[in-house]
Amino acid sequence: MSRQQDEDLIDRAIAGDEAALEALFRRHYATMHRFAQKICANAADAEDIAHDAFVKLMGSIHTFDRRSAFTSWLYRVVLNKAIDFRRKHDRRNRLAKDYRLIAPEIQASSQEAALSARQVVDLILGFPDRERDAALLVYGEGLTHAEAAAIIGCPVGTIGWLLNKATTRLNTLMEPETDEREQAERPVRDPGDPTAVARG
């Protein structure tokens, strides 16, 4: 998708061309839907979110700041809509038990400690706003630091700092569970067992 094609459609949409708005929607719907589904975990809900984002686009296309790519603005709209949806409808009461990451930057200490990608997203959604957004955009959506910075509205260098904080926070959340598992799996020796090794 070329940026120039988006610009041409935006010009026409601002001038009142409904067909241009529809063309923008068709061009970007798959991306909008995929990103929303990563957050809400349901295809039908993601479709509603994508349509809500498009309604927002229709009403505010004239406010689009052309200093950034249209896709950056669109990600911001979808992200806000999807997170609002989760806040209203999601009643999470579970802690993750697997740790398989949506990004290689966050490593589990062992295979058994792996979180499922869905559970990682659930945890990340509880992070402070900018850490959450940076992790979802870079780890979940594969955007560059520069693209994420344009969407969040911060310097590019800040993205690395936010991702580091998000990584540390996620690993910290998993440490208690890992420690408990290691203690449960550690064999208990009988004090009278001659195979016990005295340490000290």
Side-chain angles (χ1 to χ4, degrees):
M1 297 182 189
S2 81
R3 183 164 178 168
Q4 186 57 51
Q5 286 175 309
D6 279 342
E7 293 284 352
D8 292 343
L9 288 171
I10 290 166
D11 287 339
R12 289 166 49 195
I14 290 174
D17 186 340
E18 293 185 3
L21 269 175
E22 180 66 23
L24 277 172
F25 179 69
R26 288 197 307 270
R27 280 167 63 83
H28 297 284
Y29 176 79
T31 298
M32 295 163 65
H33 184 273
R34 185 191 68 242
F35 186 41
Q37 189 170 349
K38 285 182 180 178
I39 298 175
C40 70
N42 181 285
D45 292 338
E47 186 173 343
D48 289 342
I49 291 166
H51 280 88
D52 285 349
F54 182 62
V55 170
K56 168 75 173 176
L57 181 154
M58 290 174 64
S60 56
I61 188 70
H62 61 283
T63 68
F64 169 58
D65 182 354
R66 294 171 186 267
R67 290 176 297 180
S68 60
F70 176 73
T71 50
S72 296
W73 185 59
L74 195 57
Y75 266 119
R76 179 78 262 171
V77 174
V78 175
L79 182 62
N80 288 341
K81 290 290 183 184
I83 288 172
D84 285 346
F85 177 89
R86 282 291 298 256
R87 284 175 176 163
K88 291 176 183 176
H89 296 86
D90 189 38
R91 297 292 181 267
R92 298 190 315 275
N93 58 7
R94 61 189 167 95
L95 259 186
K97 295 199 177 163
D98 301 298
Y99 189 161
R100 182 176 308 132
L101 186 72
I102 50 179
E105 285 80 350
I106 302 176
Q107 298 294 332
S109 59
S110 69
Q111 193 72 24
E112 294 77 17
L115 276 170
S116 72
R118 176 75 256 146
Q119 291 165 323
V120 171
V121 171
D122 287 345
L123 289 176
I124 288 174
L125 285 170
F127 290 3
D129 290 355
R130 295 210 305 171
E131 290 178 36
R132 174 202 66 207
D133 294 352
L136 289 173
L137 292 167
V138 176
Y139 292 156
E141 197 61 10
L143 301 187
T144 65
H145 286 205
E147 289 168 335
I151 295 167
I152 294 173
C154 67
V156 174
T158 302
I159 297 298
W161 178 74
L162 290 170
L163 293 175
N164 184 63
K165 287 176 68 69
T167 301
T168 300
R169 192 182 302 277
L170 186 56
N171 285 331
T172 298
L173 283 173
M174 298 311 303
E175 281 174 3
E177 183 178 334
T178 302
D179 292 344
E180 289 173 9
R181 184 183 291 108
E182 288 175 352
Q183 289 178 8
E185 293 175 352
R186 186 178 298 129
V188 177
R189 293 184 181 273
D190 183 337
D193 184 349
T195 63
V197 179
R199 296 183 184 272

